Amino acid sequence: MEALLADKGYDADAIREEIASANVKAVIPAKSNRRDPISHDKAKCKWHNQIERLFNKLKNWRRVATRYDKTRKSYLGFVAIAAVKLWIPFVHDVNRLRNGTPYRLPKGALTQSR
């Protein structure tokens, strides 16, 4: 593990020492009342923020938030399905911006052939 991303709530000297003893970099923003603020990697903090936002969006799915599934395998499978459903619009937006044109389905893609 290269770095441990955490919230300001974990900004304690004892926690930082424990992380350092494991040869892991602590990426923890300093609390506002800390006398000697410790610097942190802001780029990695942005990743932490994006991960937190993903979990918040996944928790909008009641089945994920309440761990409705009985087995670990089915729970993680549904988490993967929910994550893909959240990811697909992002990918299409990126492709549209990259190409400069909106994504269009080929003619007849939505009609069913019998």
Side-chain angles (χ1 to χ4, degrees), residues 10-107:
Y10 296 96
D11 181 29
D13 291 333
I15 294 173
R16 287 181 181 272
E17 288 170 8
E18 187 72 28
I19 295 168
S21 69
N23 293 327
V24 176
K25 183 178 178 184
V27 181
I28 305 171
K31 287 184 179 178
S32 60
N33 62 353
R34 188 182 253 284
R35 287 187 182 147
D36 298 321
I38 299 172
S39 63
H40 62 282
D41 188 351
K42 292 188 180 189
K44 287 182 181 171
C45 266
K46 287 182 181 181
W47 279 103
H48 175 257
N49 184 282
Q50 287 183 336
I51 292 167
E52 287 284 328
R53 287 177 185 222
L54 172 66
F55 278 106
N56 286 335
K57 287 179 183 178
L58 284 174
K59 286 181 181 179
N60 287 334
W61 296 69
R62 193 178 93 195
R63 184 173 175 173
V64 172
T66 59
R67 295 207 51 150
Y68 178 77
D69 297 304
K70 292 182 181 180
T71 64
R72 178 178 180 230
K73 197 173 193 178
S74 63
Y75 175 74
L76 291 176
F78 190 78
V79 168
I81 290 170
V84 166
K85 188 164 167 110
L86 291 171
W87 176 68
I88 286 174
F90 171 76
V91 171
H92 286 296
D93 286 344
V94 169
N95 284 338
R96 185 172 9 138
L97 293 173
R98 188 179 300 148
N99 298 334
T101 59
Y103 177 77
R104 291 189 177 89
L105 291 173
K107 286 185 179 180

